[in-house]
Amino acid sequence: MQHHNESAASPLAPEWLAVPEDVNALHAPMWAADVRRNDDAELAIDGIPVSELKAQFGTPLFVMSESDFRARARSFKDAFDAAFEDICGGVDVYYAGKSFLCTAVASWVAEEGLRLDTCSGGELAVAARAGIDGANLGLHGNNKSDAEINRALDMKLGRIVVDSLDELERVAKIASGRGETVKVMLRLTPGVHAHTHEFIATAHEDQKFGLSMAEDSTEAAGLSAAEEAVAAATSYPNVDLLGLHCHIGSQIFEPDGFAVAAEKLLGFLAAMQDKYSIVLPELDLGGGYGIAYTPVDTPRPPAEIAGAMAAVVRSKCAELGITSPRISIEPGRAIVGSSTFTLYEVGTLKTVRVDAPAGAAGQEAAGQENVTFPRRYVSVDGGMSDNARPVLYDADYSAILASRASDAAPQLSRVVGKHCESGDIVVRDIYLPEDVAAGDLLAVPGTGAYCWALSSNYNYLARPGVVAVRNGSARLIVRGETEEDLLNRDMGVANV
């Protein structure tokens, strides 16, 4: 078996991954606007170098730009208000708290004029602690507990998004028992497939979310589950049916799916208003707007998304001869994702030799079979406990040497965590400088959404803290856990 020196492009790399012209350069769409290299070539956020953040807060560490988060939140609100002003007077933008939520973030959301979407009693508790008005909150979930429904009513939520006929009956019964009226939206599955990973494409029929719009989806003759829910909701005297909701998936770049979903839901809304002589004043078109995790991702600016969606709603409402409902949307990842990077310290490194894939350019160039190529494993002090998305969704990320610049040649690398799992991969394929060494700091961008939120204590690792940076100063908005935090919950041995 012959060893082959790694060429400019490794045959082991995926086709989309290009060798960087400058291994130190930042690809701007993946980063917060105030992240750049300083005069010492060290990565800095709002002027604070990563070495200072490491010294003060340790690693791993989620590092968030508060200014960037606020700017992205404002850009969605401003763009959608402008695009829909002539259609329905603007748009209600609900930040999807499931992507990342703490009391500081909830406060920023409110201060920037957005509302907040929650999915559990715990997220409602965060909103309450942050002082968010219940009228500006929504509650999602396919299996809300009685306690969560009661909490939503206690807080006088602006909407409960009902996910099934069973749940509609339960929400109505609880509200009736309290002598209250409950504001409800019905989550429908319009059958639109997002071009994304199966587990996060949530609008197709064979999944747990929503009421099907297909006519054979219920035992009631000739009625879809969605229409049966409309009929039931209008029959309950204590249910205020606000309108309809859908969510077609996540990490979506093209507007086509949103357009089809909007057309289907507006058509259904018009039919229901006519058949049941009701007015459904609201329509939520969900979220799922993509961000740049790698240089080949092409996110669209909010103004472009808003313009495309407004054109569809305007046209469809005119075709149907109806007044447009008040539109709402639910961006989460698109606001918080690129506002944050994760800072790690490099530990052990090793290089292995790997057979080139059959038909790879490297094999052909070598003129024989069984040529091997190097893949370097770069271990960091976190892993799947602070970013579960690669193992859950096969998600791709990028990384950069953050503590210094390097003149070394790029080498195909795999950034891995410290957990006892072979699938503990943070970045599957990335070109990093050949001279990356233990003690260096790496930064992985785009980790604001669904990283801290999905974090765990696997192998009894304490979950990292979250630092917010603004105006040249950094502060913890979520304290990192300690071993004492973990042991305080272990009731096997009496605390002494």
Side-chain angles (χ1 to χ4, degrees):
M1 181 175 289
Q2 178 183 351
H3 285 187
H4 194 279
N5 292 330
E6 186 173 11
S7 59
S10 171
L12 304 180
E15 290 185 5
W16 59 263
L17 182 64
V19 180
E21 293 183 9
D22 179 0
V23 77
N24 303 299
L26 302 179
H27 180 65
M30 297 191 302
W31 300 87
D34 52 4
V35 173
R36 57 186 57 88
R37 290 196 183 273
N38 61 18
D39 292 342
D40 296 323
E42 184 177 352
L43 197 69
I45 178 168
D46 200 15
I48 304 177
V50 291
S51 58
E52 288 189 16
L53 296 171
K54 157 73 176 176
Q56 184 173 358
F57 303 106
T59 54
L61 183 68
F62 290 105
V63 183
M64 172 185 286
S65 167
E66 179 181 344
S67 298
D68 190 82
F69 179 100
R70 288 177 177 271
R72 293 176 193 270
R74 271 197 311 276
S75 70
F76 269 94
K77 180 63 176 164
D78 292 347
F80 274 82
D81 274 347
F84 282 84
E85 176 61 34
D86 68 312
I87 303 173
C88 56
V91 168
D92 296 321
V93 181
Y94 284 77
Y95 170 69
K98 62 182 180 178
S99 57
F100 173 70
L101 188 63
C102 64
T103 54
V105 161
S107 297
W108 303 345
V109 165
E111 289 165 6
E112 299 302 332
L114 279 66
R115 303 184 182 200
L116 179 62
D117 169 55
T118 65
C119 295
S120 70
E123 290 181 359
L124 284 176
V126 174
R129 175 68 64 88
I132 308 300
D133 186 343
N136 293 325
L137 296 172
L139 177 64
H140 273 284
N142 66 297
N143 188 31
K144 304 175 191 70
S145 68
D146 288 0
E148 287 170 331
I149 295 167
N150 276 292
R151 175 177 267 176
L153 292 168
D154 290 342
M155 294 175 66
K156 302 187 185 312
L157 252 62
R159 58 166 67 167
I160 295 179
V161 182
V162 168
D163 211 84
S164 66
L165 289 160
D166 283 352
E167 184 177 75
L168 176 61
E169 181 179 3
R170 195 152 52 90
V171 168
K173 182 178 180 181
I174 291 173
S176 178
R178 295 169 55 113
E180 299 178 13
T181 297
V182 58
K183 296 179 179 180
V184 161
M185 297 190 80
L186 301 177
R187 177 168 176 171
L188 309 188
T189 52
V192 179
H193 292 249
H195 298 291
T196 184
H197 192 283
E198 178 186 356
F199 293 150
I200 52 178
T202 55
H204 54 284
E205 299 294 336
D206 189 15
Q207 44 102 12
K208 71 176 187 175
F209 290 111
L211 293 145
S212 173
M213 296 173 68
E215 288 190 1
D216 60 352
S217 59
T218 179
E219 295 179 2
L223 295 184
S224 67
E227 183 173 343
E228 188 176 351
V230 171
T234 56
S235 72
Y236 292 119
N238 65 315
V239 169
D240 180 5
L241 180 57
L242 298 178
L244 309 176
H245 176 285
C246 76
H247 180 69
I248 65 169
S250 297
Q251 189 60 359
I252 304 166
F253 296 111
E254 299 303 322
D256 307 31
F258 296 113
V260 173
E263 289 181 345
K264 291 188 70 171
L265 264 73
L266 283 167
F268 182 82
L269 180 143
M272 294 301 98
Q273 290 188 156
D274 182 61
K275 182 172 182 177
Y276 294 98
S277 300
I278 57 173
V279 175
L280 298 177
E282 297 189 28
L283 175 61
D284 192 308
L285 296 175
Y289 317 113
I291 68 167
Y293 285 111
T294 71
V296 296
D297 293 330
T298 54
R300 297 175 179 269
E304 185 177 331
I305 300 169
M309 291 176 66
V312 171
V313 172
R314 185 184 295 109
S315 173
K316 190 64 176 180
C317 287
E319 175 190 326
L320 295 166
I322 63 172
T323 299
S324 173
R326 175 77 174 185
I327 300 297
S328 51
I329 60 168
E330 298 173 358
R333 182 199 318 264
I335 293 175
V336 71
S338 299
S339 75
T340 303
F341 64 85
T342 307
L343 188 65
Y344 298 103
E345 183 175 353
V346 175
T348 59
L349 298 96
K350 77 168 186 177
T351 300
V352 298
R353 307 295 307 190
V354 180
D355 291 341
Q363 291 279 28
E364 295 171 4
Q368 63 180 64
E369 297 180 355
N370 299 325
V371 179
T372 64
F373 293 84
R375 188 198 316 276
R376 180 178 55 174
Y377 281 80
V378 179
S379 298
V380 295
D381 52 353
M384 61 190 293
S385 57
D386 58 71
N387 189 352
R389 292 190 70 252
V391 70
L392 283 178
Y393 303 129
D394 215 18
D396 289 312
Y397 282 84
S398 187
I400 198 164
L401 177 59
S403 47
R404 60 184 175 88
S406 173
D407 294 327
Q411 181 179 354
L412 184 68
S413 303
R414 178 164 289 174
V415 181
V416 296
K418 61 180 296 175
H419 296 283
C420 291
E421 295 284 343
S422 59
D424 178 24
I425 297 169
V426 179
V427 184
R428 191 171 307 279
D429 296 288
I430 185 70
Y431 287 101
L432 292 172
E434 285 182 335
D435 64 350
V436 167
D440 281 332
L441 299 179
L442 292 187
V444 175
T447 57
Y450 305 105
C451 290
W452 186 92
L454 286 168
S455 60
S456 74
N457 295 124
Y458 184 49
N459 292 154
Y460 250 64
L461 262 67
R463 287 174 292 186
V466 183
V467 166
V469 176
R470 191 182 188 191
N471 296 329
S473 65
R475 73 186 192 282
L476 278 172
I477 57 172
V478 178
R479 175 179 63 80
E481 289 177 327
T482 65
E483 290 180 356
E484 191 65 21
D485 291 326
L486 304 184
L487 292 171
N488 280 340
R489 299 175 58 201
D490 186 335
M491 306 305 293
V493 178
N495 291 324
V496 292

